[in-house]
Amino acid sequence: MKVTFIYPRFEKFLETVPDLDRELVDYFLGNFTTPPSLGIPILAALTPPDWEFDLVDDNNGDPVDLHTDADVIAINCFTPQATRALELADSFRAAGKTVVMGGFWPSTMHKEALEHCDAVNIGDGEPTWATILDDVKNGTLAPVYKGGTSFDLAQMPIPRRDIFYDKGGYDWNEDLVQVARGCTYKCGMCSIPTHAGHRIRLRPVTSIVEEVRTLKYDNVYLADDMLFFPNNRLRKWTRELFEALTPLKKKFFVASTMALNTDDDFIDFIAHAGVDSFYCTMNVDPRSIRALGGDLAARQELVDLVKKLEDRGIRFFASFGLGRDWDGPELVDSILDLCRTAGIHTAEFFLFSPYPGSPFWDRLIRQDRILTREWRKYNGAHVIARPLNMEPEQLYDMFINVWRGFYTDLARSEVVKNLRPDQSDPHMAKRRKAVGIKTGTSGKGNGHEDNS
Ligand code: B12
């Protein structure tokens, strides 16, 4: 028996914004041809030995063969991939194939998914995958499989990353590692608690270390943005984790919000462990919302945080969301001024999309303010929700103006010459040329570029 995993294409938000100076932004951010999320490599690791498997990475331009000899097609997707995922599901079913879907979008929109596939997995895949394959084999596939949100991560297998290591074409030279699942916070924009649980499940540090030892790259992107929450359980576990990871000499890209533990010795500690990029989503947690609202104390907290991190060689990568109900046109200047004041040199800007499974989605449904259900547009580059105090076009213009404002600032600034673009990046020469930097000038690489 054979299963073919599919990772559908999604439109990178910069691809869909022609009015932005691509060259300049591309120089700093690249185009996200990332390896698939960990869903597929985990299922591959759990696929029984009497099953063959392969991966069609549609997001990496792999050809899609509707007449493959696979017995079942397994599609993983998050919201921006859903449009393409449903297209592929329809085509495979029309070609007589059995199609199963799972991941963030199918888990939160399973009724719509079932209009295009034979079965949907809701939540974790570890508890259900073997049963799904058995049911395919026995011709007894059910429409819905509930994996839930309580699978014990101590049983999580090491994802089979070799499923994509052998494929070329990815412009990221780093590995994604999931060290925890679920979240106790209830941020309006986020669907993680619904999909992965309102409790934080932590993997045993020993199994994480064992997994990191198997990785191909020196650069590691830790997928979970609750690592630095200022509560005792996480402070203790995160210390244990980074202590154990330090000897492996990896470089870690971590994600968070301003709701974090900012103790000096803690920042010293994670810097020593190898953390070198700090991706911080802004306008989601009370502190960053206050800072963008002009609260001087909160602004000073951000200025101090950026300095603390950058003084220790950790790049601060800000990800500013626009489109909260209280956001007004002044937000653009507030963001640009905050970046200048705090010395933020790496940033991206996105329009909040109401992801199914998030409180924001539920509220906008109630208020009938969803403008489109074209899922491909839920990538942070489109106005999806009718703003409360401005026209959708005004919000879109703010999005464009803040990108332009930030990168024009940067291009003018001395900083650009010695920013840390990734030296090992094959596209570097082209990018340097794009921003007028003669090749061979300085700039130490770190291989981390992202958006998440
Ligand atoms: C890696 C990552 C990326 C990567 C890769 C994208 C991808 N496909 O995931 C990159 C960097 C490209 C990315 C980009 C974006 N991302 Co992102 N990203 C993640 C991240 C950090 C990890 C994903 C992952 O590997 N999860 C772990 C795996 C194991 O979980 P899983 O996929 O759910 O798989 C499990 C089950 O669902 C199930 N399963 C999965 N597939 C299948 C299939 C079958 C058949 C079955 C049976 C079971 C099954 O089994 C698995 C094991 O239990 C998540 C946060 C998170 N913690 O998940 C955000 C996340 C997926 N991203 C998100 C978003 C919104 C984005 C952006 C669109 C916007 C932005 N600004 O961030 C951008 C895109 C911007 C752009 N460039 O256009 C949201 C998605 C929300 C949603 N409901 O869709 C998340 C959840 C972050 C959040 N806090 O909201 N992201």
Side-chain angles (χ1 to χ4, degrees), residues 7 12-13 32 37-38 76 79 125-126 191 195 450-452:
Y7 186 66
K12 317 308 177 281
F13 59 40
F32 299 103
S37 78
L38 291 170
N76 156 257
T79 306
E126 291 89 345
S191 53
H195 176 60
D450 172 34
N451 91 331
S452 100

Side-chain angles (χ1 to χ4, degrees), residues 341-372:
T341 315
I344 294 173
H345 304 311
T346 310
E348 64 170 16
F349 311 91
F350 64 94
L351 290 160
F352 280 114
S353 298
Y355 292 103
S358 69
F360 187 37
W361 169 265
D362 301 340
R363 182 158 56 77
L364 293 179
I365 291 283
R366 279 196 308 278
Q367 298 169 340
D368 189 21
R369 288 171 51 201
I370 301 275
L371 295 171
T372 173

